[in-house]
Each structure stands twice: as C-alpha cells, then as structure tokens.
Amino acid sequence: MYSLLIDHLSTAVIQVSDKLEIEYLNPAAEMLLAVSRRRIYGNDLGAAFREDEDSIQALYAAIKSGHPFTKREAEIECNNSKKLFCDYTVTPIMGTSNDTESIIIELYPRDRMKRISQEDEIIANHETSKELVRGLAHEIKNPLGGIRGAAQLISRAFTDEALNDYTQVIIEESDRLRDLVDRLLGPRQLPKNKPLNIHKVIERVRQLISVETDNQVELIRDYDPSIPDLIGDESQLIQALLNITRNAMQALMDDEDNRHKTIHMVTRALRQFTIGSKRHRLVCKISIIDNGPGIPEAILKTLFYPMVSGRADGTGLGLSIAQSVIHQHHGIIECNSYPKKTEFNILIPIETTVQDQEKHS
C-alpha cells in the first residue's frame, strides 16, 4: 500500500542504501531523471544523477548521524548530460538496531521557476536599457544636429579647400555618430506582420552564413515540420537570426583548435509554454547551437546590453538588436554557454492571426 501511494506521488522519490546503492525510484523520479528503475536498481546513485564530492559526503554524513537535511538550489547532472536545477531533501530511514539502513531523497525541480525568473529579469533589463538608450540618443542627437549645421555654414564661408576638408570631417563624423545612435535604438519601424514559415527564414540565414564561411563551418539542420506559420516581420526576423548565427560563426572561426566546427539550427514546437509571466498555447523555439569555446562568464549576464562584446573588433550591437526584434514579436532570447557548447534559444509565440498578436501588444 505504501509503495502504491509513493508511486502515485508527483514528487520524485529515490531510496538508496547506506552504501548509496539504488533500491527504489518512483515513476516521477524516472520521468525527471530520464532513467528506467528496473535497469538501475542495485547500481550506484551516479546511475540516476551525479553530484559534486561535497554533496556525496553530506549524504554519507546523514547516513552516519541519522540527521535529515535539505539542499537548496542544487545543480545535478543526469546520465543524458542534462543538468537539473532543484532542491532536494534527504531523510535517513532507521533500522531495528537504530542504524541507518537507507535514505530517502525527495527531488523538487526548480528549473521552471528559475527560467521564469531569469526571463522576467531579461525582459526588465531590456526595457531598462532601451529607455536609457532612448534618453541618451535624445541628448546626443540634438547637439550633433547643431554641430553638423554649424560645420556646413562654416564650410560655405571658406574658399580654401584645405579648410573645407576639416569641416567635411566634422560633418562625416557627426553622421557616423548619428548612425551609431540609430543602431543602438534598434529597429525604428514596427514589424510588418504577416504569416510566414520560420524555416524559410532560417534557410535564408543558413545560405548567407554558408557563403560567409566558405563551407568551413558545418551547418546542421534539425527542423520540426509540424510548426505552423507564425505572424511576424520576415526581414526583421532574418536580421535577428543572422546576428545570432553570425556571432556563433565568428566564435568558431576564431577557435583555431577546433577541427570540426559545427552550428546546429534546431526548431521545435512547445505547447502551453510560459515566456516571462505569460502562458502561450503554442511557442516556436529556434535553437542556434555551436561547439565553440563558449562565452566568458564575465559578460554572460550582460550579453544583450548595447556595446557589450566578447570580441576585440565587435560592436556589441548585434545581440542587443536581435533581442529588440524578438521582443517586438512578444518573444525572448535566452543563452546558455559552456566550453564546446553555446546555445541561443529564440522563443516566439505562435498566434493564429495578426489580430491575436495585437491583443498581446
């Protein structure tokens, strides 16, 4: 009866012996860890998930002392290399001789809450940086217009060509700064929304990147053909995806030790998926995954801010503009990066009509 009750719990439960050998998993644990309990019974705990050495020693200490404990915000690794962010509680089970015979580990995944919190932070940071850039652009463009106009008036008064060259430099540099500010502001027009096939957009990007790399980078497609047309601006989406994929390409081209450079372009349809605090019936997920050196941790959290770049010759505008475009489509861009694997996930809600999308605006 007790086994039947535990099998019907939504909480993942694992029972291991005092030697950390797996004795029991309930179906919720099987689903969470993506393992079959019949295959791993009697194996070491590492057959279900892996933790750091300090956490393993904490399990042995609980067995020895008989005291339960809870670990918060643990990052465990499953056998399929998937990382899980969770809390877990360890409860020793005492035998007849008052020695610990086994321990119960209850896992509480926090990935969804962590992701929602991160997405809310990304959206808030994006709005803050956009307002900051707008205010800065106003303060820069007004005096720039005055400087450019004054230089034009001065140039008309000069008959010496050498002096006119100096005023022309002022005019050209003023125009360059104005263009930089316009690029910081991102797309200046609202999206021209219409139904489009996202795979057509990705294929266009793939074609452009293939030409730029001269086939030095292998572009691998993994598309979900069930994804319906979404409502969006084709040219803006091409630009956003191109900025992200070009970043991946440049990271790979700079990685001289990498003999087999690859970029995976993956699409999936996600049902009943939450972006920030809003749940959407259907979401298109586009993943751009490269096997480059990874993004330095120091800039990972500020990656989508304007003027932030990990490359010496980078402008730091590509990802900021891409985030602005996807935000205009009511979506978001997320990034996870480790050595040999950097993954950008573009999440865009799929609405059935333009009117449906306008309701979310």
Side-chain angles (χ1 to χ4, degrees):
M1 183 61 184
Y2 294 135
S3 176
L4 184 64
L5 288 172
I6 295 173
D7 277 349
H8 284 79
L9 289 177
S10 59
T11 302
V13 177
I14 305 173
Q15 180 180 343
V16 296
S17 69
D18 56 356
K19 296 179 181 178
L20 296 190
E21 294 173 345
I22 298 169
E23 296 178 336
Y24 169 80
L25 284 85
N26 71 344
E30 286 184 287
M31 290 183 63
L32 179 66
L33 303 172
V35 295
S36 169
R37 53 181 171 180
R38 292 179 181 177
R39 291 188 177 183
I40 67 171
Y41 278 173
N43 290 332
D44 184 79
L45 181 62
F49 68 85
R50 289 179 289 277
E51 261 275 52
D52 56 58
E53 186 59 32
D54 289 343
S55 297
I56 297 299
Q57 291 305 316
L59 293 177
Y60 279 118
I63 292 169
K64 185 177 180 179
S65 66
H67 294 153
F69 73 90
T70 299
K71 183 173 181 180
R72 303 291 184 188
E73 300 184 353
E75 187 176 64
I76 63 176
E77 184 178 355
C78 303
N79 277 335
N80 59 2
S81 297
K82 179 182 176 182
K83 293 184 183 296
L84 291 176
F85 185 72
C86 65
D87 297 341
Y88 64 78
T89 297
V90 175
T91 307
I93 305 298
M94 311 301 289
T96 54
S97 58
N98 287 330
D99 292 329
T100 303
E101 289 187 347
S102 60
I103 57 174
I104 297 292
I105 303 173
E106 300 168 73
L107 296 162
Y108 307 95
R110 293 179 54 84
D111 294 81
R112 183 173 178 272
M113 295 304 298
K114 182 184 179 184
R115 184 180 60 78
I116 290 173
S117 176
Q118 287 177 335
E119 288 176 356
D120 283 339
E121 184 179 356
I122 290 171
I123 292 168
N125 288 343
H126 176 71
E127 290 295 333
T128 301
S129 64
K130 189 165 66 174
E131 290 302 318
L132 178 63
V133 169
R134 278 177 179 167
L136 188 63
H138 178 76
E139 295 300 323
I140 291 174
K141 290 179 81 171
N142 281 349
L144 269 183
I147 292 169
R148 191 183 192 282
Q152 287 177 318
L153 291 173
I154 292 171
S155 66
R156 292 173 190 168
F158 290 151
T159 55
D160 189 337
E161 283 297 323
L163 294 176
N164 274 328
D165 287 342
Y166 294 137
T167 56
Q168 190 60 36
V169 168
I170 296 173
I171 293 168
E172 289 174 358
E173 288 301 297
S174 297
D175 289 343
R176 188 176 67 83
L177 283 173
R178 181 200 61 208
D179 292 342
L180 175 62
V181 170
D182 286 340
R183 290 176 64 197
L184 279 169
L185 289 170
R188 300 181 67 183
Q189 296 179 340
L190 291 173
K192 297 177 181 178
N193 292 330
K194 63 179 181 179
L196 60 89
N197 186 326
I198 194 61
H199 296 125
K200 180 182 175 183
V201 171
I202 299 171
E203 280 298 297
R204 176 59 177 162
V205 172
R206 192 185 71 85
Q207 183 183 36
L208 293 169
I209 294 296
S210 181
V211 171
E212 288 185 32
T213 61
D214 195 22
N215 296 318
Q216 295 180 58
V217 176
E218 184 182 3
L219 300 172
I220 302 169
R221 290 171 286 188
D222 181 5
Y223 297 161
D224 181 352
S226 70
I227 296 176
D229 287 357
L230 58 84
I231 306 298
D233 185 308
E234 184 173 334
S235 63
Q236 286 193 14
L237 288 174
I238 288 174
Q239 186 61 57
L241 283 168
L242 185 60
N243 288 355
I244 293 169
T245 312
R246 188 173 280 148
N247 264 26
M249 174 204 76
Q250 290 168 342
L252 288 169
M253 298 301 282
D254 293 342
D255 188 7
E256 297 178 358
D257 297 330
N258 192 339
R259 301 292 182 182
H260 185 208
K261 308 176 194 297
T262 62
I263 296 176
H264 285 75
M265 309 178 86
V266 184
T267 62
R268 292 291 183 268
L270 306 176
R271 300 186 182 279
Q272 299 302 326
F273 194 83
T274 303
I275 298 177
S277 57
K278 290 185 180 179
R279 179 176 285 274
H280 299 273
R281 184 179 60 83
L282 193 62
V283 167
C284 174
K285 178 183 177 183
I286 308 156
S287 299
I288 307 297
I289 308 166
D290 70 76
N291 65 339
I295 298 170
E297 191 173 347
I299 67 169
L300 197 55
K301 289 188 176 180
T302 58
L303 198 59
F304 296 103
Y305 286 177
M307 311 305 289
V308 174
S309 175
R311 300 172 60 245
D313 57 345
T315 62
L317 294 177
L319 292 179
S320 175
I321 291 171
Q323 187 72 276
S324 293
V325 168
I326 300 303
H327 188 67
Q328 282 189 347
H329 287 78
H330 313 291
I332 196 170
I333 305 174
E334 301 174 337
C335 177
N336 297 300
S337 184
Y338 308 95
K340 300 300 180 185
K341 184 179 180 181
T342 295
E343 180 174 353
F344 281 88
N345 293 316
I346 302 103
L347 302 164
I348 305 174
I350 298 175
E351 315 297 349
T352 54
T353 64
V354 176
Q355 287 76 19
D356 285 345
Q357 194 176 72
E358 287 173 350
K359 288 177 185 177
H360 288 82
S361 298

